[in-house]
Amino acid sequence: KELIMAMINKYDIPGLFRDYATEKEWKYYYGSDEYMSAMSASDTFDVDELILSCSDWRVTPRASAQYGSYDDVTHTVTLMIGRKFEETTMASLDETMIQKHDRRMGELCELLVNMVDDISCTNNLSISFSAGVPLPNMWANNIDFFMFPITIEA
């Protein structure tokens, strides 16, 4: 039990992403989507401001070859990077999804992948991606996000 807790605490995964966002002067939210949406509703966002959110953090101990022991843990977490693109909280419905992709979703995807690469290299972590998803007009603030679930091996 103590060994598993030590391995979990070895890397403060939500803290790694919080520190990165703070360094870049991005807003950072951690928790469930409902919680983050509620918290962001009382926040103000400037147009073009970047937001990083981290949710669904899970830690799975990895068994070692020796029966009954563990040699490390696997972390999974869902990351979303978003940007406020419009002044209002009302979504503009005159834009198609391909236009949203061309204008901003591709850039958000690239920002997220680059951030994960930076964190991976800086902390000597092996990080793999699952399927990325564009999420336009999220939260009460009408923020466009790109989301990736990731898996982290220390």
Side-chain angles (χ1 to χ4, degrees):
K1 175 181 168 182
E2 291 161 1
L3 178 61
I4 292 173
M5 290 309 300
M7 287 184 286
I8 290 170
N9 293 327
K10 182 178 175 182
Y11 294 100
D12 174 16
I13 299 302
L16 284 176
F17 294 108
R18 179 195 56 224
D19 294 347
Y20 189 90
T22 300
E23 180 182 309
K24 297 287 187 181
E25 298 182 355
W26 300 349
K27 289 199 176 180
Y28 178 78
Y29 293 92
Y30 174 67
S32 69
D33 191 52
E34 294 81 8
Y35 173 80
M36 290 185 290
S37 182
M39 292 302 294
S40 72
S42 62
D43 238 336
T44 57
F45 297 91
D46 297 327
V47 172
D48 289 333
E49 185 171 21
L50 286 167
I51 300 102
L52 177 64
S53 78
C54 180
S55 63
D56 304 322
W57 179 38
R58 294 180 201 93
V59 182
T60 307
R62 289 194 318 247
S64 71
Q66 182 180 352
Y67 179 77
S69 67
Y70 300 92
D71 59 5
D72 218 330
V73 294
T74 299
H75 302 266
T76 56
V77 66
T78 300
L79 297 175
M80 295 190 328
I81 192 164
R83 176 175 275 153
K84 178 77 174 162
F85 283 96
E86 298 172 313
E87 292 280 346
T88 68
T89 56
M90 294 282 290
S92 173
L93 300 178
D94 62 349
E95 189 176 37
T96 65
M97 275 305 291
I98 194 66
Q99 288 171 321
K100 285 182 183 286
H101 172 78
D102 290 344
R103 294 175 184 163
R104 56 189 168 270
M105 290 300 182
E107 177 196 5
L108 290 174
C109 176
E110 185 177 348
L111 278 168
L112 188 56
V113 169
N114 289 339
M115 178 201 67
V116 170
D117 283 347
D118 286 349
I119 288 174
S120 173
C121 289
T122 302
N123 296 282
N124 198 29
L125 300 171
S126 173
I127 301 179
S128 58
F129 291 88
S130 296
V133 180
L135 300 169
N137 308 325
M138 296 288 292
W139 298 354
N141 309 86
N142 186 30
I143 298 170
D144 293 331
F145 282 96
F146 203 93
M147 177 191 74
F148 269 115
I150 63 169
T151 301
I152 303 167
E153 307 276 344

